[in-house]
Amino acid sequence: MADVDLLSLLPEELETLARRLGADGYRGRQLATWLFKKGVYDFEAMSNLPKDFRARLAEEAFVGVPDVERVVPSRDGSQKFVLRLADGARIHAVLMPDRDRLTLCLSVQVGCGFACAFCFTGTMGLIRNLTAGEIVGQPAAVRQTLPPETRITHLVFMGMGEPLANYEAVVKALRLLTHPGAFGYSPRRITVSTVGLVSGMQKLAKESLKVNLAVSLHATTDAVRERLMPVNKSWPLEDLLAACRRFPLPVRRRMTFEYVLLDDVNDSPEDAIRLTRLLKGVRAKVNLIPFNAWEGSGFRRPPLQRILAFQAILQEHGITATVRWSKGEDIGAACGQLKESSSKERVLA
Ligand code: SAH
């Protein structure tokens, strides 16, 4: 039975597999080149592999690249990929061009169990975790739709789901993405965003993966954060920021704090001041995300003036603060808008 997803195996694991299937170890490295470097997933096309090895592979293994079911283009140049997994579940990945960068935002779970009040994906609940193969299958699938010379330059784990709640698969995916013999991304080009799961952050700190970490903060008092993010009941601000201070950052690197701006909820000048205090002693930069609306959310985006005033206060206190004008808003692909067949998507499809 074909039960091993080759996309979930590191080059050295592919070598072991090759030996188990009766071939020389180096056949595993050749296989890795086809899969990760060339993006070829059809065993028949792997011309330098012996026929009997290809036949054994076909019996024992498969390449779990998700099907690209639909590509929804946005007016701003980004594209939402609706990907279909082997069991029929659907996830989204969003490709965002920006000057010399091409960033892919990928998913780690079908749905999400953290139920942040402002996040549309959160209304789905958790359906299931993705496997490591399904996580790296997203850049693999998207790459197939691009011209051969186009490279996805950056990866952000900011799609559906909470990376640190699918810890083993996410860490394996990061190893596959950064292994020189697999996808070969520099860890500086990869960012993992977390809801603030302190236990997972502590584990991640020990992996020496050197990827960037982004923490969804979104509030400056426990009362407000608890209302917005139920995870705050388990890991309140003090614990979260202590974990951030302890997190080993490579030299000259900073941790990103995401802060969704919600009108009249967390966008006051007092909030901005409190934020500067909370971040004392953390090598931090702040990414302000004006709320992306969805029907029935009960939240509004603050007026532009208030967004800029919030940013100005942070900057006056020496904190680098950028405003993330989300991409793909018109196609339901912006931060927190990912959910299977949203009403907007149906209109555009
Ligand atoms: N689970 C991870 C990744 C989620 S999405 C995390 O929580 O960090 C990436 C960012 O988008 C998070 O900071 C999330 O809080 C934010 N977000 C969610 N819904 C949003 C919305 N409607 N508008 C703006 N940002 C949103």
Side-chain angles (χ1 to χ4, degrees), residues 172-186:
K172 183 71 185 279
L174 291 171
R175 297 206 190 285
L176 287 159
L177 292 168
T178 55
H179 192 298
F183 287 90
Y185 278 97
S186 157

Side-chain angles (χ1 to χ4, degrees), residues 161-304:
E162 164 54 34
L164 299 183
N166 183 12
Y167 189 84
E168 299 301 330
V170 165
V171 166
K172 183 71 185 279
L174 291 171
R175 297 206 190 285
L176 287 159
L177 292 168
T178 55
H179 192 298
F183 287 90
Y185 278 97
S186 157
R188 337 174 124 255
R189 291 170 178 259
I190 301 178
T191 301
V192 174
S193 180
T194 177
V195 75
L197 209 56
V198 170
S199 50
M201 289 168 64
Q202 286 164 343
K203 264 184 15 193
L204 191 69
K206 299 194 190 110
E207 306 278 357
S208 75
L209 281 160
K210 300 198 162 58
V211 296
N212 300 303
L213 188 65
V215 174
S216 293
L217 199 60
H218 303 329
T220 61
T221 64
D222 280 319
V224 175
R225 194 163 190 271
E226 221 172 275
R227 215 186 102 206
L228 297 177
M229 306 175 77
V231 70
N232 197 71
K233 292 186 192 116
S234 313
W235 307 108
L237 282 170
E238 195 181 322
D239 298 356
L240 174 57
L241 285 151
C244 294
R245 284 194 186 86
R246 278 197 302 270
F247 197 83
L249 287 175
V251 275
R252 282 192 295 279
R253 254 193 292 155
R254 287 180 291 177
M255 191 174 285
T256 300
F257 288 86
E258 291 155 295
Y259 194 97
V260 61
L261 285 167
L262 305 165
D263 191 30
D264 260 346
V265 175
N266 64 357
D267 64 339
S268 70
E270 294 74 34
D271 278 305
I273 302 277
R274 267 196 300 271
L275 184 53
T276 68
R277 287 198 202 115
L278 282 175
L279 296 181
K280 284 246 159 66
V282 192
R283 265 153 55 207
K285 56 186 171 191
V286 173
N287 202 204
L288 300 170
I289 318 174
F291 173 63
N292 295 307
W294 44 278
E295 234 175 82
S297 73
F299 295 104
R300 291 176 315 269
R301 177 183 288 193
L304 179 62

Side-chain angles (χ1 to χ4, degrees), residues 17-334:
L17 177 74
R19 277 191 226 100
R20 183 165 73 73
L21 300 184
D24 284 336
Y26 77 93
R27 298 296 186 189
R29 288 199 302 278
Q30 287 179 318
L31 183 55
T33 304
W34 285 111
L35 295 170
F36 301 120
K37 304 289 183 204
K38 300 188 182 171
V40 169
Y41 311 120
D42 174 8
F43 300 138
E44 289 310 305
M46 301 180 179
S47 49
N48 62 355
L49 296 182
K51 224 175 152 97
D52 53 339
F53 179 47
R54 282 186 271 160
R56 291 289 285 128
L57 279 173
E59 281 166 21
E60 299 268 340
F62 66 101
V63 186
V65 184
D67 286 336
V68 178
E69 190 172 79
R70 213 138 40 89
V71 184
V72 191
S74 159
R75 279 190 293 271
D76 63 23
S78 61
Q79 293 173 300
K80 177 164 80 177
F81 288 78
V82 182
L83 303 175
R84 197 169 178 278
L85 305 174
D87 67 348
R90 288 178 184 81
I91 52 167
H92 296 164
V94 185
L95 190 65
M96 301 168 287
D98 188 14
R99 278 165 280 169
D100 54 344
R101 289 184 177 204
L102 187 58
T103 302
L104 185 68
C105 173
L106 45 85
S107 296
V108 294
Q109 296 178 318
V110 184
C112 184
F114 283 80
C116 297
F118 49 82
C119 180
F120 195 39
T121 310
T123 64
M124 285 176 80
L126 175 63
I127 301 185
R128 72 168 174 89
N129 279 330
L130 299 190
T131 64
E134 288 169 334
I135 297 172
V136 305
Q138 296 167 67
V142 169
R143 176 162 85 172
Q144 286 181 303
T145 70
L146 303 174
E149 66 284 0
T150 306
R151 229 182 106 77
I152 298 167
T153 62
H154 291 74
L155 297 166
V156 295
F157 285 59
M158 297 186 186
M160 296 167 128
E162 164 54 34
L164 299 183
N166 183 12
Y167 189 84
E168 299 301 330
V170 165
V171 166
K172 183 71 185 279
L174 291 171
R175 297 206 190 285
L176 287 159
L177 292 168
T178 55
H179 192 298
F183 287 90
Y185 278 97
S186 157
R188 337 174 124 255
R189 291 170 178 259
I190 301 178
T191 301
V192 174
S193 180
T194 177
V195 75
L197 209 56
V198 170
S199 50
M201 289 168 64
Q202 286 164 343
K203 264 184 15 193
L204 191 69
K206 299 194 190 110
E207 306 278 357
S208 75
L209 281 160
K210 300 198 162 58
V211 296
N212 300 303
L213 188 65
V215 174
S216 293
L217 199 60
H218 303 329
T220 61
T221 64
D222 280 319
V224 175
R225 194 163 190 271
E226 221 172 275
R227 215 186 102 206
L228 297 177
M229 306 175 77
V231 70
N232 197 71
K233 292 186 192 116
S234 313
W235 307 108
L237 282 170
E238 195 181 322
D239 298 356
L240 174 57
L241 285 151
C244 294
R245 284 194 186 86
R246 278 197 302 270
F247 197 83
L249 287 175
V251 275
R252 282 192 295 279
R253 254 193 292 155
R254 287 180 291 177
M255 191 174 285
T256 300
F257 288 86
E258 291 155 295
Y259 194 97
V260 61
L261 285 167
L262 305 165
D263 191 30
D264 260 346
V265 175
N266 64 357
D267 64 339
S268 70
E270 294 74 34
D271 278 305
I273 302 277
R274 267 196 300 271
L275 184 53
T276 68
R277 287 198 202 115
L278 282 175
L279 296 181
K280 284 246 159 66
V282 192
R283 265 153 55 207
K285 56 186 171 191
V286 173
N287 202 204
L288 300 170
I289 318 174
F291 173 63
N292 295 307
W294 44 278
E295 234 175 82
S297 73
F299 295 104
R300 291 176 315 269
R301 177 183 288 193
L304 179 62
Q305 219 183 347
R306 223 163 139 85
I307 296 171
L308 298 178
F310 197 98
Q311 180 186 27
I313 295 175
L314 298 180
Q315 285 170 338
E316 280 157 24
H317 285 76
I319 295 178
T320 308
T322 49
V323 181
R324 184 196 295 169
W325 294 107
S326 288
K327 299 240 174 204
E329 220 189 324
D330 56 333
I331 53 167

